[in-house]
């Protein structure tokens, strides 16, 4: 790629390639190549290389941790649903699949309203249920209504938590 970049006189950025040393050991690199101009004419290129071995190790550790956490979340018997600031579902465990009658794949990206509707019917009439998290309600068990894939509404207890991420 660097030779081609040099021949075509264009910039190049490669973020994940393996380079090998004389002794045969290899390591991951990220590199850039920039054409050099002198008096308006192509005069060569500057290539910059970075050994990204430590970055790769950290990424692998993060993925292992994410896999462990995902496994733990899927192993619990309670339905776990996570939604973002736009109230779109970003996590839906196996117990939630059973509870709401829909696969995680189908739930991902849906509005949380699909499964926990704002308007719930009770014996004493309709009332508005809020999902907004107030500091006094974090961690407290709340009685809400859920809606299964078939449209059937049912009472459920939920503990809401706020999680800050990227």
């Amino acid at each position: 790629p660097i030779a081609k970049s040099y021949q075509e006189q264009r910039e190049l950025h490669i973020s994940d390639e393996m380079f090998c040393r004389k002794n045969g050991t290899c390591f991951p690199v990220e590199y850039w190549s920039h054409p050099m101009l002198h008096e308006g004419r192509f005069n060569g290129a500057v290539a910059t290389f970075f050994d990204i071995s430590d970055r790769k190790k950290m990424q692998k550790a993060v993925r292992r941790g994410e896999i462990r956490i995902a496994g733990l979340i899927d192993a619990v018997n309670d339905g776990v649903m996570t939604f973002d600031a736009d109230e779109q579902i970003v996590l839906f465990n196996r117990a939630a699949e059973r509870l709401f009658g829909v696969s995680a794949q189908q739930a991902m990206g849906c509005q949380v309203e699909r499964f926990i509707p704002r308007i719930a019917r009770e014996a004493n009439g309709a009332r508005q249920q809020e999902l907004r998290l107030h500091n006094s309600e974090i961690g407290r068990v709340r009685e809400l209504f859920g809606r299964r894939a078939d449209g059937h509404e049912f009472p459920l207890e939920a503990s809401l938590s706020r999680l800050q991420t990227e």
Side-chain angles (χ1 to χ4, degrees), residues 26-83:
C26 296
F27 59 100
V29 296
E30 179 174 16
Y31 61 91
W32 290 264
S33 176
H34 299 277
M36 289 179 28
L37 299 174
H38 181 71
E39 295 178 357
R41 296 177 51 202
F42 180 69
N43 195 29
V46 174
T48 309
F49 304 86
F50 293 95
D51 180 340
I52 58 170
S53 299
D54 290 339
R55 181 190 314 165
K56 290 292 188 181
K57 287 177 190 171
M58 285 189 296
Q59 287 172 340
K60 188 176 181 180
V62 167
R63 279 193 301 273
R64 278 195 314 265
E66 287 173 350
I67 290 169
R68 273 191 228 119
I69 290 169
L72 287 170
I73 290 170
D74 257 352
V76 299
N77 290 325
D78 294 329
V80 177
M81 177 190 312
T82 302
F83 53 93

Side-chain angles (χ1 to χ4, degrees), residues 69-150:
I69 290 169
L72 287 170
I73 290 170
D74 257 352
V76 299
N77 290 325
D78 294 329
V80 177
M81 177 190 312
T82 302
F83 53 93
D84 62 16
D86 297 323
E87 296 189 0
Q88 289 187 327
I89 295 173
V90 295
L91 185 141
F92 205 79
N93 75 346
R94 288 184 189 154
E97 288 179 326
R98 289 187 299 273
L99 184 65
F100 292 100
V102 65
S103 72
Q105 185 177 3
Q106 293 169 315
M108 300 299 273
C110 290
Q111 292 291 308
V112 71
E113 170 110 2
R114 176 178 175 190
F115 303 102
I116 302 176
R118 295 253 185 244
I119 306 289
R121 282 169 280 296
E122 290 186 337
N124 62 354
R127 71 170 174 86
Q128 181 78 20
Q129 71 179 6
E130 286 291 323
L131 288 175
R132 303 271 184 261
L133 292 180
H134 302 287
N135 288 335
S136 63
E137 296 181 356
I138 293 176
R140 198 178 108 224
V141 175
R142 298 183 57 190
E143 292 180 9
L144 300 172
F145 286 84
R147 182 183 297 142
R148 292 192 172 91
D150 64 6

